[in-house]
Short mmCIF file of all heavy atoms in Angstrom, two decimals:
data_model
loop_
_atom_site.label_atom_id
_atom_site.label_comp_id
_atom_site.label_asym_id
_atom_site.label_seq_id
_atom_site.Cartn_x
_atom_site.Cartn_y
_atom_site.Cartn_z
N LEU B 44 -9.71 25.80 -12.57
CA LEU B 44 -8.42 25.57 -11.91
C LEU B 44 -7.47 26.73 -12.16
O LEU B 44 -6.74 27.17 -11.27
CB LEU B 44 -7.78 24.26 -12.40
CG LEU B 44 -8.59 22.98 -12.17
CD1 LEU B 44 -7.87 21.79 -12.78
CD2 LEU B 44 -8.85 22.74 -10.69
N ASN B 45 -7.49 27.26 -13.38
CA ASN B 45 -6.58 28.37 -13.72
C ASN B 45 -6.91 29.66 -12.97
O ASN B 45 -6.08 30.53 -12.83
CB ASN B 45 -6.58 28.63 -15.24
CG ASN B 45 -5.86 27.53 -15.98
OD1 ASN B 45 -5.10 26.76 -15.37
ND2 ASN B 45 -6.08 27.43 -17.28
N ARG B 46 -8.15 29.75 -12.51
CA ARG B 46 -8.50 30.92 -11.67
C ARG B 46 -7.98 30.74 -10.25
O ARG B 46 -8.21 31.59 -9.39
CB ARG B 46 -10.02 31.09 -11.61
CG ARG B 46 -10.64 31.76 -12.82
CD ARG B 46 -12.04 32.29 -12.51
NE ARG B 46 -12.93 31.26 -12.02
CZ ARG B 46 -13.70 30.49 -12.79
NH1 ARG B 46 -13.68 30.66 -14.08
NH2 ARG B 46 -14.48 29.59 -12.26
N GLY B 47 -7.33 29.61 -10.00
CA GLY B 47 -6.77 29.38 -8.66
C GLY B 47 -7.78 28.78 -7.72
O GLY B 47 -7.58 28.76 -6.51
N GLU B 48 -8.89 28.28 -8.28
CA GLU B 48 -9.91 27.66 -7.43
C GLU B 48 -9.79 26.15 -7.50
O GLU B 48 -9.33 25.60 -8.49
CB GLU B 48 -11.29 28.09 -7.90
CG GLU B 48 -11.47 29.59 -7.86
CD GLU B 48 -12.92 29.95 -8.06
OE1 GLU B 48 -13.77 29.34 -7.40
OE2 GLU B 48 -13.16 30.83 -8.87
N LEU B 49 -10.18 25.50 -6.46
CA LEU B 49 -10.13 24.05 -6.46
C LEU B 49 -11.27 23.51 -5.61
O LEU B 49 -11.09 23.16 -4.44
CB LEU B 49 -8.76 23.57 -5.94
CG LEU B 49 -8.46 22.08 -6.01
CD1 LEU B 49 -8.72 21.52 -7.39
CD2 LEU B 49 -7.01 21.83 -5.62
N SER B 50 -12.46 23.54 -6.21
CA SER B 50 -13.60 23.00 -5.48
C SER B 50 -13.64 21.49 -5.69
O SER B 50 -13.88 21.01 -6.80
CB SER B 50 -14.89 23.65 -5.98
OG SER B 50 -15.98 22.81 -5.65
N LEU B 51 -13.42 20.75 -4.62
CA LEU B 51 -13.40 19.29 -4.74
C LEU B 51 -14.76 18.75 -5.18
O LEU B 51 -14.85 17.80 -5.94
CB LEU B 51 -13.00 18.64 -3.41
CG LEU B 51 -11.54 18.86 -2.99
CD1 LEU B 51 -11.25 18.10 -1.71
CD2 LEU B 51 -10.58 18.41 -4.08
N THR B 52 -15.82 19.41 -4.73
CA THR B 52 -17.16 18.98 -5.12
C THR B 52 -17.33 19.10 -6.63
O THR B 52 -17.81 18.18 -7.30
CB THR B 52 -18.22 19.85 -4.42
OG1 THR B 52 -17.90 19.85 -3.03
CG2 THR B 52 -19.61 19.34 -4.64
N LEU B 53 -16.89 20.25 -7.18
CA LEU B 53 -17.05 20.44 -8.62
C LEU B 53 -16.15 19.52 -9.42
O LEU B 53 -16.54 19.02 -10.47
CB LEU B 53 -16.76 21.91 -8.98
CG LEU B 53 -17.90 22.86 -8.72
CD1 LEU B 53 -17.49 24.30 -9.00
CD2 LEU B 53 -19.09 22.49 -9.59
N VAL B 54 -14.93 19.32 -8.92
CA VAL B 54 -14.02 18.41 -9.61
C VAL B 54 -14.64 17.01 -9.65
O VAL B 54 -14.66 16.34 -10.68
CB VAL B 54 -12.64 18.37 -8.91
CG1 VAL B 54 -11.79 17.23 -9.44
CG2 VAL B 54 -11.91 19.70 -9.11
N LYS B 55 -15.21 16.59 -8.52
CA LYS B 55 -15.84 15.27 -8.46
C LYS B 55 -17.05 15.19 -9.39
O LYS B 55 -17.23 14.20 -10.08
CB LYS B 55 -16.31 14.99 -7.02
CG LYS B 55 -15.35 14.14 -6.24
CD LYS B 55 -15.92 13.75 -4.91
CE LYS B 55 -16.83 12.56 -5.05
NZ LYS B 55 -17.32 12.07 -3.76
N GLU B 56 -17.82 16.25 -9.40
CA GLU B 56 -19.02 16.23 -10.26
C GLU B 56 -18.63 16.15 -11.72
O GLU B 56 -19.27 15.48 -12.52
CB GLU B 56 -19.87 17.47 -10.00
CG GLU B 56 -20.68 17.35 -8.74
CD GLU B 56 -21.72 18.45 -8.60
OE1 GLU B 56 -21.84 19.29 -9.51
OE2 GLU B 56 -22.41 18.46 -7.58
N THR B 57 -17.56 16.88 -12.08
CA THR B 57 -17.11 16.84 -13.47
C THR B 57 -16.63 15.44 -13.84
O THR B 57 -16.96 14.91 -14.90
CB THR B 57 -15.95 17.84 -13.70
OG1 THR B 57 -16.34 19.11 -13.19
CG2 THR B 57 -15.61 17.97 -15.18
N LEU B 58 -15.88 14.84 -12.93
CA LEU B 58 -15.39 13.47 -13.17
C LEU B 58 -16.55 12.49 -13.29
O LEU B 58 -16.55 11.61 -14.15
CB LEU B 58 -14.52 13.04 -12.00
CG LEU B 58 -13.02 13.18 -12.17
CD1 LEU B 58 -12.33 12.96 -10.84
CD2 LEU B 58 -12.48 12.20 -13.20
N ASP B 59 -17.54 12.66 -12.43
CA ASP B 59 -18.71 11.79 -12.49
C ASP B 59 -19.44 11.97 -13.81
O ASP B 59 -19.91 11.01 -14.42
CB ASP B 59 -19.69 12.10 -11.34
CG ASP B 59 -19.14 11.59 -10.00
OD1 ASP B 59 -18.18 10.80 -10.03
OD2 ASP B 59 -19.67 12.01 -8.96
N TYR B 60 -19.54 13.22 -14.22
CA TYR B 60 -20.24 13.50 -15.47
C TYR B 60 -19.52 12.83 -16.64
O TYR B 60 -20.13 12.18 -17.48
CB TYR B 60 -20.35 15.01 -15.71
CG TYR B 60 -21.04 15.30 -17.01
CD1 TYR B 60 -22.44 15.33 -17.07
CD2 TYR B 60 -20.32 15.49 -18.18
CE1 TYR B 60 -23.08 15.55 -18.26
CE2 TYR B 60 -20.97 15.71 -19.38
CZ TYR B 60 -22.34 15.75 -19.42
OH TYR B 60 -22.99 15.95 -20.60
N ILE B 61 -18.20 13.01 -16.66
CA ILE B 61 -17.42 12.39 -17.74
C ILE B 61 -17.58 10.87 -17.65
O ILE B 61 -17.67 10.18 -18.66
CB ILE B 61 -15.92 12.78 -17.63
CG1 ILE B 61 -15.76 14.30 -17.76
CG2 ILE B 61 -15.07 12.02 -18.63
CD1 ILE B 61 -15.36 14.84 -19.10
N GLY B 62 -17.63 10.36 -16.42
CA GLY B 62 -17.83 8.93 -16.24
C GLY B 62 -19.19 8.50 -16.80
O GLY B 62 -19.29 7.51 -17.51
N ASP B 63 -20.23 9.27 -16.48
CA ASP B 63 -21.57 8.91 -16.95
C ASP B 63 -21.68 9.03 -18.46
O ASP B 63 -22.24 8.18 -19.12
CB ASP B 63 -22.62 9.87 -16.34
CG ASP B 63 -22.98 9.45 -14.93
OD1 ASP B 63 -22.67 8.31 -14.57
OD2 ASP B 63 -23.56 10.27 -14.21
N TYR B 64 -21.18 10.13 -18.97
CA TYR B 64 -21.43 10.44 -20.37
C TYR B 64 -20.41 9.79 -21.30
O TYR B 64 -20.76 8.99 -22.17
CB TYR B 64 -21.43 11.96 -20.56
CG TYR B 64 -22.06 12.36 -21.86
CD1 TYR B 64 -23.45 12.56 -21.93
CD2 TYR B 64 -21.30 12.51 -23.01
CE1 TYR B 64 -24.04 12.90 -23.13
CE2 TYR B 64 -21.90 12.85 -24.21
CZ TYR B 64 -23.26 13.06 -24.26
OH TYR B 64 -23.85 13.37 -25.45
N ALA B 65 -19.13 10.13 -21.11
CA ALA B 65 -18.11 9.62 -22.03
C ALA B 65 -17.89 8.13 -21.84
O ALA B 65 -17.85 7.37 -22.80
CB ALA B 65 -16.80 10.37 -21.84
N GLU B 66 -17.77 7.71 -20.61
CA GLU B 66 -17.33 6.33 -20.38
C GLU B 66 -18.47 5.33 -20.51
O GLU B 66 -18.26 4.20 -20.94
CB GLU B 66 -16.63 6.23 -19.01
CG GLU B 66 -15.36 7.08 -19.01
CD GLU B 66 -14.68 7.23 -17.66
OE1 GLU B 66 -15.11 6.61 -16.68
OE2 GLU B 66 -13.72 8.02 -17.60
N ARG B 67 -19.68 5.74 -20.20
CA ARG B 67 -20.79 4.78 -20.30
C ARG B 67 -21.46 4.77 -21.66
O ARG B 67 -22.05 3.77 -22.06
CB ARG B 67 -21.84 5.07 -19.22
CG ARG B 67 -21.47 4.40 -17.90
CD ARG B 67 -22.48 4.70 -16.83
NE ARG B 67 -23.81 4.17 -17.14
CZ ARG B 67 -24.91 4.58 -16.54
NH1 ARG B 67 -24.85 5.53 -15.64
NH2 ARG B 67 -26.07 4.07 -16.84
N TYR B 68 -21.44 5.92 -22.37
CA TYR B 68 -22.18 5.98 -23.63
C TYR B 68 -21.30 6.26 -24.85
O TYR B 68 -21.39 5.60 -25.86
CB TYR B 68 -23.28 7.05 -23.55
CG TYR B 68 -24.28 6.75 -22.49
CD1 TYR B 68 -24.29 7.45 -21.29
CD2 TYR B 68 -25.21 5.73 -22.67
CE1 TYR B 68 -25.22 7.14 -20.30
CE2 TYR B 68 -26.12 5.41 -21.69
CZ TYR B 68 -26.13 6.13 -20.51
OH TYR B 68 -27.03 5.80 -19.53
N HIS B 69 -20.45 7.27 -24.71
CA HIS B 69 -19.69 7.71 -25.88
C HIS B 69 -18.63 6.67 -26.29
O HIS B 69 -18.57 6.28 -27.46
CB HIS B 69 -19.05 9.07 -25.55
CG HIS B 69 -18.28 9.65 -26.68
ND1 HIS B 69 -18.85 10.32 -27.72
CD2 HIS B 69 -16.95 9.64 -26.91
CE1 HIS B 69 -17.91 10.71 -28.56
NE2 HIS B 69 -16.74 10.31 -28.09
N HIS B 70 -17.80 6.25 -25.36
CA HIS B 70 -16.77 5.26 -25.70
C HIS B 70 -17.36 3.96 -26.26
O HIS B 70 -16.87 3.47 -27.29
CB HIS B 70 -15.87 4.95 -24.49
CG HIS B 70 -15.00 6.09 -24.07
ND1 HIS B 70 -14.19 6.05 -22.95
CD2 HIS B 70 -14.79 7.31 -24.62
CE1 HIS B 70 -13.54 7.19 -22.84
NE2 HIS B 70 -13.89 7.98 -23.83
N PRO B 71 -18.40 3.40 -25.63
CA PRO B 71 -18.96 2.17 -26.20
C PRO B 71 -19.48 2.35 -27.64
O PRO B 71 -19.35 1.45 -28.46
CB PRO B 71 -20.11 1.82 -25.25
CG PRO B 71 -19.70 2.44 -23.96
CD PRO B 71 -18.99 3.70 -24.32
N LEU B 72 -20.06 3.54 -27.92
CA LEU B 72 -20.54 3.77 -29.29
C LEU B 72 -19.36 3.81 -30.25
O LEU B 72 -19.40 3.21 -31.34
CB LEU B 72 -21.34 5.08 -29.35
CG LEU B 72 -21.93 5.46 -30.71
CD1 LEU B 72 -22.89 4.36 -31.23
CD2 LEU B 72 -22.68 6.80 -30.63
N GLU B 73 -18.30 4.48 -29.86
CA GLU B 73 -17.09 4.51 -30.72
C GLU B 73 -16.50 3.11 -30.88
O GLU B 73 -16.10 2.72 -31.98
CB GLU B 73 -16.03 5.44 -30.10
CG GLU B 73 -16.37 6.89 -30.29
CD GLU B 73 -15.39 7.82 -29.61
OE1 GLU B 73 -14.73 7.39 -28.63
OE2 GLU B 73 -15.30 8.98 -30.03
N ASP B 74 -16.46 2.37 -29.79
CA ASP B 74 -15.91 1.01 -29.86
C ASP B 74 -16.73 0.14 -30.83
O ASP B 74 -16.18 -0.64 -31.60
CB ASP B 74 -15.91 0.35 -28.47
CG ASP B 74 -14.89 1.00 -27.54
OD1 ASP B 74 -14.00 1.72 -28.03
OD2 ASP B 74 -14.98 0.77 -26.32
N GLN B 75 -18.04 0.32 -30.77
CA GLN B 75 -18.94 -0.44 -31.65
C GLN B 75 -18.67 -0.09 -33.12
O GLN B 75 -18.56 -0.96 -33.97
CB GLN B 75 -20.36 -0.03 -31.28
CG GLN B 75 -21.42 -1.08 -31.54
CD GLN B 75 -22.81 -0.48 -31.30
OE1 GLN B 75 -22.99 0.39 -30.43
NE2 GLN B 75 -23.79 -0.91 -32.05
N LEU B 76 -18.54 1.21 -33.37
CA LEU B 76 -18.26 1.67 -34.74
C LEU B 76 -16.92 1.12 -35.24
O LEU B 76 -16.81 0.60 -36.34
CB LEU B 76 -18.25 3.21 -34.77
CG LEU B 76 -17.70 3.88 -36.02
CD1 LEU B 76 -18.60 3.62 -37.23
CD2 LEU B 76 -17.55 5.40 -35.82
N MET B 77 -15.89 1.24 -34.39
CA MET B 77 -14.55 0.82 -34.81
C MET B 77 -14.49 -0.69 -35.00
O MET B 77 -13.81 -1.18 -35.89
CB MET B 77 -13.50 1.26 -33.78
CG MET B 77 -13.39 2.77 -33.62
SD MET B 77 -13.16 3.64 -35.20
CE MET B 77 -13.70 5.28 -34.71
N SER B 78 -15.20 -1.43 -34.19
CA SER B 78 -15.19 -2.87 -34.34
C SER B 78 -15.86 -3.26 -35.66
O SER B 78 -15.41 -4.17 -36.36
CB SER B 78 -15.83 -3.47 -33.09
OG SER B 78 -16.52 -4.60 -33.37
N HIS B 79 -16.93 -2.57 -36.02
CA HIS B 79 -17.58 -2.80 -37.31
C HIS B 79 -16.60 -2.51 -38.46
O HIS B 79 -16.45 -3.33 -39.38
CB HIS B 79 -18.82 -1.89 -37.42
CG HIS B 79 -19.31 -1.72 -38.82
ND1 HIS B 79 -20.02 -2.70 -39.49
CD2 HIS B 79 -19.17 -0.68 -39.70
CE1 HIS B 79 -20.30 -2.26 -40.72
NE2 HIS B 79 -19.80 -1.05 -40.86
N LEU B 80 -15.92 -1.37 -38.39
CA LEU B 80 -15.00 -1.01 -39.48
C LEU B 80 -13.80 -1.96 -39.54
O LEU B 80 -13.36 -2.32 -40.62
CB LEU B 80 -14.53 0.45 -39.32
CG LEU B 80 -15.64 1.50 -39.44
CD1 LEU B 80 -15.08 2.89 -39.18
CD2 LEU B 80 -16.31 1.43 -40.81
#
Side-chain angles (χ1 to χ4, degrees):
L44 300 177
N45 288 343
R46 280 198 304 271
E48 301 191 47
L49 186 51
S50 159
L51 291 184
T52 309
L53 280 176
V54 168
K55 261 187 83 175
E56 282 190 2
T57 309
L58 263 169
D59 287 346
Y60 179 84
I61 299 261
D63 279 345
Y64 197 87
E66 296 172 5
R67 275 179 63 198
Y68 298 105
H69 182 81
H70 291 176
L72 181 59
E73 285 176 336
D74 290 344
Q75 207 187 327
L76 168 67
M77 298 308 160
S78 146
H79 162 76
L80 295 177

